[in-house]
Amino acid sequence: MGAVEEKQEKCGTVCLKYLLFTFNFLFWLAGGVVMAVGVWTLVEKSDYISLLPSKTYAASAYILVLAGAIVMVTGVLGCCATFKEQKKLLLVYFVLLLCIFLLEIVAGVLAYINYQQLNDELKQNLKATMTNKYRLGKDNEHITQAVDKLQEEFKCCGSHNSTDWEENGWIRSSASEGRKVPDSCCKTQIPFCGTRDHPSNIYKAEGGCISKLERFILDHLQIIGAVGVGIACVQLIGMVFTCCLYRSLTESYY
């Protein structure tokens, strides 16, 4: 009977090891996904970041990259602890999982709190940014590129509507060469198309670019939130497997 029980214990330990290894592999992949989302935000959407009044959105992207890297390292550590059956490593691994889990909760709460603040600041500052910085000085070239990209991709014109451009210093100067809005406002972009301020030629939708950018940020935060919740659920499973394996190894030792 003792041999049978010992065999069952060994089989249980082996099953837990392979379950935890599978979890770690999935966890490692999840870390790669999180890091990829962060890098994508920084590389593909870096222009939009320059239009935001605070660094909260950029900071969230850097946090994602860092969190993804930590998750991947933790996954490798978990694999080593599992196959070497090192109880101390398992404890370290469990503590890391718990810390990452708690950090995700804190980050989620902060993101929810800061979103409304970011949204309010965006509404207050986007028009001023377009009015005071678009094509006004070499120091603002990145702002000019970001605004043009925003209007082209989101098919919008101005912060709230196309009349916002009437206050822009470049539009009011001779340098605009008769343009009433930037060429990036045009439905069909050709040089000097911005000289014709008509609904058939430019985007006149109410709400302007600010509503489109607000929707973009909200959708992106929802993607980040969904990824975070998914990883958190996987982590809970991993912590349960880790506890079970640790207990099984302790019982086998004694």
Side-chain angles (χ1 to χ4, degrees):
M1 288 291 291
V4 173
E5 288 178 0
E6 186 178 350
K7 185 176 181 181
Q8 288 176 344
E9 285 180 5
K10 287 183 177 179
C11 287
T13 302
V14 170
C15 288
L16 282 171
K17 284 174 62 176
Y18 281 104
L19 282 172
L20 195 53
F21 176 80
T22 303
F23 160 79
N24 280 306
F25 178 70
L26 294 174
F27 193 53
W28 183 82
L29 288 178
V33 170
V34 170
M35 190 159 58
V37 171
V39 171
W40 172 72
T41 301
L42 291 172
V43 174
E44 292 295 324
K45 307 302 176 184
S46 58
D47 290 336
Y48 298 153
I49 291 174
S50 65
L51 296 176
L52 300 179
S54 70
K55 301 299 181 184
T56 304
Y57 190 69
S60 67
Y62 284 112
I63 289 172
L64 281 178
V65 174
L66 180 61
I70 293 173
V71 166
M72 294 182 78
V73 171
T74 303
V76 173
L77 176 64
C79 288
C80 294
T82 301
F83 277 98
K84 289 186 176 182
E85 298 186 0
Q86 292 283 338
K87 291 196 295 180
K88 289 183 180 180
L89 277 179
L90 280 174
L91 278 176
V92 173
Y93 174 64
F94 179 84
V95 170
L96 284 173
L97 281 182
L98 183 60
C99 289
I100 294 170
F101 180 74
L102 293 175
L103 283 173
E104 284 173 347
I105 293 175
V106 172
V109 172
L110 289 176
Y112 177 79
I113 294 172
N114 289 329
Y115 169 71
Q116 190 58 49
Q117 179 185 353
L118 181 63
N119 190 33
D120 292 340
E121 290 178 353
L122 180 64
K123 289 179 179 178
Q124 294 172 8
N125 289 281
L126 185 59
K127 182 178 178 180
T129 299
M130 289 182 165
T131 301
N132 302 324
K133 295 184 178 181
Y134 183 83
R135 288 189 180 273
L136 296 173
K138 291 184 178 180
D139 293 339
N140 294 320
E141 286 182 358
H142 65 291
I143 297 292
T144 299
Q145 293 173 1
V147 170
D148 283 336
K149 184 177 180 180
L150 177 69
Q151 295 190 142
E152 290 170 10
E153 288 194 1
F154 291 158
K155 303 184 187 306
C156 57
C157 185
S159 176
H160 296 87
N161 53 56
S162 60
T163 60
D164 291 339
W165 286 111
E166 294 174 1
E167 302 175 31
N168 176 258
W170 176 73
I171 290 292
R172 297 169 67 176
S173 71
S174 58
S176 67
E177 299 181 81
R179 291 179 177 85
K180 296 180 180 179
V181 294
D183 291 343
S184 56
C185 281
C186 299
K187 295 178 180 178
T188 302
Q189 290 186 29
I190 57 174
F192 299 101
C193 63
T195 55
R196 183 168 171 265
D197 183 12
H198 191 272
S200 63
N201 183 49
I202 67 170
Y203 296 106
K204 285 277 191 177
E206 289 299 322
C209 294
I210 196 164
S211 61
K212 302 287 184 72
L213 187 56
E214 180 184 353
R215 171 51 57 184
F216 164 78
I217 293 173
L218 179 59
D219 289 346
H220 199 68
L221 286 176
Q222 287 175 342
I223 291 172
I224 293 172
V227 170
V229 169
I231 292 176
C233 292
V234 173
Q235 281 177 259
L236 285 174
I237 297 171
M239 284 190 280
V240 171
F241 285 159
T242 304
C243 288
C244 291
L245 181 59
Y246 183 86
R247 181 180 177 183
S248 177
L249 290 175
T250 303
E251 289 176 352
S252 298
Y253 178 79
Y254 288 109

